[in-house]
Amino acid sequence: ANENAVVYRSKVQAEGGEAMAAIPGANTRASGVLTGNLVSLRGLDETELACSVLPANSLAGRVVLIQRGTCEFETKLNVAMLAGAIGAIVYGSAAAPQEIFVMGTGRAVLPSVMVKRADGLELRRRLEASSPLGLSVELAPRPFAADP
């Protein structure tokens, strides 16, 4: 194995945290930076799956953290957008915690990225410890060290 292997990924970075590799959803333009405060679905959707309608403006102006699973990515992103989110970070499921890929987002237009489960859980932990939690999502790919 090449110890210097590099992959190109987008970047998610919460205030005071390490950069996390991400892959934009199929309809997300791979340029620019999305900035805002992160919000969890806890209290609105205990499953954190965003498969059912959320209250209007409950995510207004924020980037929402969503768990992968149960419904299509298109549904998740449309549910978040209708609740006012400006972007979404989808994190891996327990069944495939390391897997990240380009999400097939159908006709959904909400800017979105996918991160590994461990990264999503770390974002949720940090948010619970310090809210609001500002973050930025650099959509243009940049080099990251490849996982061994």
Side-chain angles (χ1 to χ4, degrees), residues 14-72:
E15 290 176 346
E18 297 288 321
M20 300 173 179
I23 297 179
N27 291 339
T28 299
R29 286 181 307 167
S31 65
V33 178
L34 176 65
T35 59
N37 286 330
L38 186 64
V39 64
S40 168
L41 288 173
R42 287 190 171 180
L44 295 171
D45 173 2
E46 293 307 316
T47 68
E48 299 181 84
L49 294 167
C51 293
S52 301
V53 175
L54 298 169
N57 297 316
S58 58
L59 305 175
R62 295 178 283 175
V63 178
V64 63
L65 187 60
I66 302 172
Q67 184 174 194
R68 178 183 176 200
T70 304
C71 62
E72 296 179 351

Side-chain angles (χ1 to χ4, degrees), residues 7-142:
V7 294
Y8 286 83
R9 300 284 188 255
S10 295
K11 176 178 93 167
V12 172
Q13 188 157 15
E15 290 176 346
E18 297 288 321
M20 300 173 179
I23 297 179
N27 291 339
T28 299
R29 286 181 307 167
S31 65
V33 178
L34 176 65
T35 59
N37 286 330
L38 186 64
V39 64
S40 168
L41 288 173
R42 287 190 171 180
L44 295 171
D45 173 2
E46 293 307 316
T47 68
E48 299 181 84
L49 294 167
C51 293
S52 301
V53 175
L54 298 169
N57 297 316
S58 58
L59 305 175
R62 295 178 283 175
V63 178
V64 63
L65 187 60
I66 302 172
Q67 184 174 194
R68 178 183 176 200
T70 304
C71 62
E72 296 179 351
F73 296 117
E74 179 180 24
T75 299
K76 294 175 181 299
L77 300 180
N78 286 334
V79 164
M81 187 174 75
L82 289 172
I86 60 169
I89 299 172
V90 177
Y91 65 94
S93 66
Q98 295 300 320
E99 187 176 65
I100 62 173
F101 51 86
V102 176
M103 295 176 287
T105 55
R107 294 184 179 179
V109 296
L110 185 69
S112 61
V113 295
M114 177 176 265
V115 298
K116 293 178 185 176
R117 180 171 181 80
D119 291 340
L121 294 175
E122 174 63 13
L123 287 171
R124 187 176 69 190
R125 185 198 65 74
R126 294 200 55 224
L127 178 61
E128 290 169 352
S130 176
S131 184
L133 180 63
L135 62 83
S136 65
V137 180
E138 291 182 18
L139 298 169
R142 60 188 298 276

